Amino acid sequence: MTRPGVPTLVTVRRDASGRDVASELGPGTFLAPRPLLPAADGLHLALVGTTAGLLAGDDLSIRITVGPGARLHLMEPAGLVAYDHRGGTSSWRAEVEVAEGGQLCWDSRPFVVSSGAEVTRAMEVRLAPGARMLWRDTLVLGRSGERGGRIRATTRADHDGGELLVEDLDLTEPDVRELPGILGPYRVIGSVTALGADPGGRPHPSRMDLAGPGAQVRLLETRAPAVERELEAVWQSWRASYGTAFDATRNGPGAAMPA
């Protein structure tokens, strides 16, 4: 059975009083945005699942727009599971646009690719000058005791019109991905990625600086809890650094990100 992919829509702006407000919250086929308690550091929303995880023929689509100077914090209360597709395929797509001076922090939960699933996943990010995004992401190949299905995950982030991050993780062939020097025995891939500005924070041995302003910490493990614990520390450190610098930028024209 194919379920039509009505996109989940989130549009956030900064109003005349300086508050971050949602001008559009459109529930999609699979996810619905839900407001959380008000906070001083921006608008907080949860992306709540409205149906079972990805099945064959499913097309999950998310479109997020953050207006000039606005702040959006997205969190996912539960992970997403792509179940056995029984010969079919599914897709997950996100399009993110952050205007000048805007900020998006997206704290996602694990994306699990069960044995028998075949998924394409694409993240497209466009950042204007002075915009930034912090994204936490974990891919898990298989549920407990499974080898895991097939996934091709692409990420493309542009900043101020230039390429900041272009990545193509082709994990569609289990025999290839399990070779030494690729994934080997690991089936969990966790990342925290800062786009548009140096995240500062505590030093980390797995940090990689991007082609422009930004950095990424990527971890490989055999079990998800170990990755999630270490990523949580990186996430909290980078988020605190991002928030402090963002407040300084909004409140003072000469402020800059920490080195």
Side-chain angles (χ1 to χ4, degrees):
M1 178 180 177
T2 299
R3 293 181 287 185
V6 176
T8 299
L9 304 176
V10 176
T11 302
V12 177
R13 62 180 177 85
R14 189 184 186 193
D15 68 12
S17 66
R19 295 184 308 145
D20 300 301
V21 298
S23 55
E24 181 177 29
L25 294 180
T29 305
F30 306 96
L31 296 172
R34 296 286 187 257
L36 299 175
L37 291 175
D41 63 344
L43 182 65
H44 288 246
L45 300 175
L47 289 178
V48 179
T50 57
T51 184
L54 291 179
L55 304 175
D58 287 350
D59 178 16
L60 189 159
S61 180
I62 309 168
R63 296 175 188 167
I64 299 169
T65 304
V66 180
R71 294 178 294 182
L72 172 61
H73 298 266
L74 280 181
M75 61 87 65
E76 298 175 22
L80 179 67
V81 179
Y83 295 100
D84 189 342
H85 289 359
R86 304 182 184 280
T89 62
S90 68
S91 64
W92 181 103
R93 296 174 294 145
E95 298 177 10
V96 175
E97 186 165 356
V98 186
E100 185 171 359
Q103 176 178 285
L104 169 63
C105 290
W106 188 342
D107 187 6
S108 65
R109 298 293 93 188
F111 189 118
V112 182
V113 186
S114 303
S115 290
E118 185 167 348
V119 186
T120 58
R121 196 187 76 158
M123 170 71 86
E124 296 279 343
V125 179
R126 294 183 297 276
L127 302 176
R132 60 201 60 161
M133 175 177 172
L134 190 61
W135 181 36
R136 175 175 170 177
D137 171 53
T138 303
L139 289 176
V140 182
L141 298 171
R143 293 175 291 180
S144 179
E146 292 184 340
R147 191 181 188 189
R150 304 168 182 266
I151 182 168
R152 185 164 188 172
T154 60
T155 303
R156 181 189 177 100
D158 293 342
H159 176 256
D160 194 12
E163 291 182 347
L164 181 60
L165 174 65
V166 178
E167 182 176 69
D168 186 345
L169 287 178
D170 188 346
L171 305 175
T172 54
E173 298 297 334
D175 289 340
V176 174
R177 73 189 185 209
E178 292 170 4
L179 291 173
I182 303 180
L183 290 185
Y186 303 114
R187 65 182 190 90
V188 182
I189 307 165
S191 306
V192 176
T193 306
L195 301 168
D198 188 301
R202 301 173 184 172
H204 194 283
S206 297
R207 170 175 166 145
M208 175 187 69
D209 290 328
L210 303 182
Q216 182 181 78
V217 167
R218 169 157 293 162
L219 306 173
L220 300 178
E221 260 293 351
T222 56
R223 299 180 68 250
V227 167
E228 290 296 284
R229 282 194 298 270
E230 189 167 351
L231 287 183
E232 178 66 18
V234 176
W235 171 262
Q236 294 297 342
S237 175
W238 287 14
R239 182 175 173 180
S241 176
Y242 251 43
T244 300
F246 189 76
D247 288 340
T249 301
R250 286 176 61 152
N251 297 327
M257 288 298 297

